[in-house]
C-alpha cells in the first residue's frame, strides 16, 4: 500500500552556508525562527524606505501633529499622508491619540528620533548622492556656524539674539531657552523687530532644514550679521540640552 506524504507548502530555501541544512540547530531551534526575527527587523527598514515617510518623521520630531497638519507641511494629499502614517504606525515608529474626530500622531519614542538622525548621517557619510543632493537643497555651504557650547556662552553673555525660524506651532512645542520666534515666512515683514547691531544666531528643525539657511541669506542681504546654529532642534533635544515650551514671553 503506497505511503502518503504531505509536502511543506513553504519549504525553506537551502542555504549553502547552513551548518545544519534541513534540520534544527544544536539548540533545538527551528531555523525559520531566525528568518522570522530578521523579517521583523526588516519591517522597520521597509517603513523607512520612503523619502516622504522620513520627512513625516522629521516633522514629528518637532512635536505632535494632526494628520491634516502633517499633510499640509509635507505637501501631501490627505489620503497619501494617512497611508504613509499608517505604514509608520504598523512598524511601531509612531503612535496616535484621538481628540474628538482628530487623530494626533507623535514619535513612538526618542529612540525613533535618534534612528532618523543616525540614518541621515550614515547616508551622508556613505552614499555618494547625498552630499550633492544636500547642497542642491540647502544652497552653498557657509562655514559660519555656531556650536551648542558656543551658543550657550554667547546667549548667557547677551552677545547674540537667538532666532527660531520654524513655524510658530513648532516653537510652542519646544524651543531653545531664550530663543525668539520669528517664522521665516514672516521675516521680511518683521525684520525691523530685530536689533541692528547685535549678531543673530538662527536655527530651525535640524541639520538638513532649509529654513535657517534661507533666513541667514535674507538677513545678510538686509545688512544684518547672521549665522546658523550648526544643526537644529532635533539634535539639540538628542543632546539632552534644556528645552522650553509655550508661547514667547
Amino acid at each position: 500500500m503506497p505511503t502518503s506524504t504531505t509536502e511543506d507548502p513553504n519549504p525553506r530555501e537551502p542555504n549553502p552556508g547552513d551548518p545544519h541544512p534541513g534540520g534544527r540547530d544544536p539548540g533545538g531551534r527551528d531555523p525559520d525562527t531566525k528568518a522570522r526575527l530578521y523579517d521583523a527587523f526588516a519591517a522597520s527598514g521597509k517603513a523607512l524606505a520612503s523619502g516622504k515617510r522620513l520627512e513625516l518623521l522629521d516633522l514629528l520630531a518637532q512635536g505632535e501633529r494632526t494628520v491634516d497638519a502633517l499633510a499640509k507641511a509635507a505637501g501631501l494629499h490627505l489620503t497619501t499622508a494617512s497611508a504613509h502614517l499608517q505604514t509608520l504606525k504598523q512598524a511601531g515608529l509612531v503612535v496616535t491619540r484621538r481628540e474628538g474626530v482628530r487623530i494626533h500622531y507623535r514619535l513612538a519614542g526618542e529612540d525613533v528620533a535618534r534612528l532618523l538622525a543616525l540614518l541621515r548621517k550614515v547616508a551622508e557619510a556613505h552614499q555618494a548622492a547625498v552630499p550633492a543632493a544636500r547642497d542642491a537643497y540647502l544652497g552653498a555651504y557657509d562655514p559660519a556656524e555656531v556650536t551648542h557650547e558656543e551658543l550657550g556662552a554667547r546667549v548667557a553673555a547677551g552677545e547674540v539674539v537667538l532666532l527660531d525660524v520654524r513655524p510658530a506651532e513648532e516653537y510652542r512645542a519646544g524651543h531653545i531657552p531664550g530663543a525668539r520666534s520669528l517664522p521665516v515666512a514672516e521675516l521680511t515683514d518683521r525684520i525691523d523687530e530685530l536689533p541692528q547691531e547685535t549678531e543673530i544666531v538662527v536655527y530651525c528643525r535640524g541639520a538638513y532644514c532649509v529654513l535657517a539657511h534661507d533666513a541667514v541669506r535674507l538677513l545678510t542681504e538686509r545688512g544684518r550679521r547672521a549665522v546658523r546654529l550648526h544643526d537644529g532642534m532635533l539634535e539639540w533635544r538628542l543632546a539632552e540640552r534644556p528645552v522650553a515650551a509655550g508661547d514667547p514671553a
Side-chain angles (χ1 to χ4, degrees), residues 1-92:
M1 186 173 182
T3 302
S4 63
T5 60
T6 302
E7 292 187 1
D8 184 349
N10 297 296
R12 188 164 69 95
E13 290 288 334
N15 180 359
D18 188 345
H20 306 282
R24 295 175 178 271
D25 69 15
R29 289 175 291 270
D30 181 343
D32 287 340
T33 59
K34 180 179 180 180
R36 287 194 290 272
L37 172 61
Y38 277 84
D39 284 344
F41 292 151
S44 294
K46 290 177 183 177
L48 297 174
S50 160
K52 278 300 180 183
R53 287 198 285 275
L54 293 180
E55 186 177 351
L56 290 169
L57 290 177
D58 190 33
L59 291 167
L60 288 170
Q62 309 302 309
E64 183 182 77
R65 293 201 190 199
T66 63
V67 180
D68 290 3
L70 287 165
K72 182 178 179 181
L76 294 170
H77 292 298
L78 186 60
T79 53
T80 303
S82 295
H84 281 312
L85 290 165
Q86 281 301 308
T87 298
L88 293 170
K89 184 179 180 181
Q90 289 164 9

Side-chain angles (χ1 to χ4, degrees), residues 77-119:
H77 292 298
L78 186 60
T79 53
T80 303
S82 295
H84 281 312
L85 290 165
Q86 281 301 308
T87 298
L88 293 170
K89 184 179 180 181
Q90 289 164 9
L93 299 175
V94 301
V95 294
T96 60
R97 70 174 180 89
R98 180 180 290 275
E99 187 177 78
V101 298
R102 291 181 176 273
I103 302 295
H104 297 255
Y105 280 83
R106 66 181 185 276
L107 296 184
E110 185 182 281
D111 50 357
V112 179
R114 290 191 182 279
L115 175 62
L116 173 65
L118 180 60
L119 172 64

